[in-house]
Amino acid sequence: MTAAFIDIPGVRNFRDAGGIGALRRGVLYRSGSLHTLTEEGARKLKDLGLRTVVDLRSPFELETWPDQRHGLDHESLHLPTLPADRSDLGRPWPEDQAALYTFMPETAGPSLSAIIRRLAAPEAVPVVVHCAVGKDRTGLTVAVLQSLLGASDADITADFLLSNLGLGLDKGPTPYIDETGSERLSRPVGAEHIASSLDWIRTHHGTVPGYLRTHGVTDTDLDALRANLSV
């Protein structure tokens, strides 16, 4: 694995999202959920100086697979990327991976704006942002943060694609049991997926900052975020 990956026992796909654009290393980590975190893994997170965990999963996922702490003293924020109630969306729930990546930007605005406001505070970092496996919801969230710190689309995409390696998807889809107990397939991500999310944001809002401003993020918030996370 590349130098970006960090071995945290009990946590999948854990890596440092920094080192591209102006985003410094050691402040923003991304991963799968912490529900199987071991005591050794918790000690390693403590060594990283962990202060905040942002969980992008649904309330049902949290109830089924709660994050483990093992005595860690950090702030936990539950900021779901996707809506919990599918009955009032006004459009179909995405049925495939391609549809998911144009759907997520439509629903992720409140989550992303809350994350940005929190990470603008110096005491909030280092932070781990995670969903179930750290691939899709985490991929979009981290891409937005990296973009705000000046990362190029090429560098954002390269980091995004590392999830295939981190999850063993570089050889193709793998089966897994979801939060309802059903067997499903986890599929590799492609460059076209994150490109479609960023294209949706830019098509509808012009820029990533413009998208965030429609969800209440101010220029002061963005300046504070950059000051807190940049090299």
Side-chain angles (χ1 to χ4, degrees):
M1 290 192 179
T2 75
F5 286 94
I6 301 171
D7 179 26
I8 304 293
V11 183
R12 304 178 71 190
N13 198 21
F14 192 101
R15 62 190 195 267
D16 193 328
I20 63 175
L23 180 61
R24 73 181 190 272
R25 290 196 176 276
V27 292
L28 175 64
Y29 299 98
R30 55 179 296 169
S31 74
S33 75
L34 310 186
H35 75 282
T36 55
L37 177 71
T38 67
E39 290 187 2
E40 181 186 359
R43 287 194 292 272
K44 290 193 172 187
L45 289 180
K46 184 177 181 179
D47 290 343
L48 293 177
L50 179 65
R51 293 182 179 177
T52 307
V53 171
V54 176
D55 194 329
L56 305 173
R57 297 177 298 164
S58 71
F60 186 69
E61 287 174 287
L62 267 69
E63 182 181 350
T64 306
W65 294 320
D67 279 354
Q68 300 300 307
R69 297 179 74 105
H70 297 294
L72 284 173
D73 181 18
H74 59 74
E75 179 182 18
S76 293
L77 300 177
H78 178 217
L79 298 170
T81 300
L82 299 170
D85 184 0
R86 302 186 183 188
S87 64
D88 192 31
L89 290 176
R91 58 163 290 179
W93 193 262
E95 294 295 332
D96 58 37
Q97 196 172 22
L100 176 66
Y101 276 86
T102 53
F103 179 80
M104 284 194 295
E106 293 189 53
T107 66
S111 171
L112 286 165
S113 61
I115 291 168
I116 286 162
R117 284 191 290 269
R118 187 67 193 103
L119 298 192
E123 68 274 10
V125 296
V127 58
V128 175
V129 175
H130 78 77
C131 52
V133 297
K135 175 169 67 78
D136 301 313
R137 291 168 285 186
T138 299
L140 172 62
T141 300
V142 169
V144 166
L145 291 168
Q146 290 171 333
S147 177
L148 292 173
L149 270 294
S152 67
D153 282 6
D155 285 342
I156 290 169
T157 301
D159 178 70
F160 173 75
L161 292 175
L162 286 176
S163 285
N164 290 332
L165 185 61
L167 296 167
L169 296 172
D170 50 317
K171 301 175 180 65
T174 60
Y176 71 100
I177 304 298
D178 71 10
E179 66 275 14
T180 68
S182 302
E183 183 173 297
R184 300 177 63 187
L185 276 181
S186 182
R187 300 184 183 278
V189 289
E192 69 277 9
H193 293 131
I194 196 60
S196 69
S197 289
L198 294 173
D199 286 348
W200 187 96
I201 288 171
R202 290 162 180 158
T203 298
H204 289 81
H205 299 280
T207 63
V208 172
Y211 164 68
L212 296 166
R213 290 186 190 103
T214 66
H215 295 283
V217 174
T218 67
D219 288 340
T220 299
D221 295 329
L222 294 175
D223 288 344
L225 177 83
R226 294 181 180 113
N228 200 30
L229 301 184
S230 65
V231 292

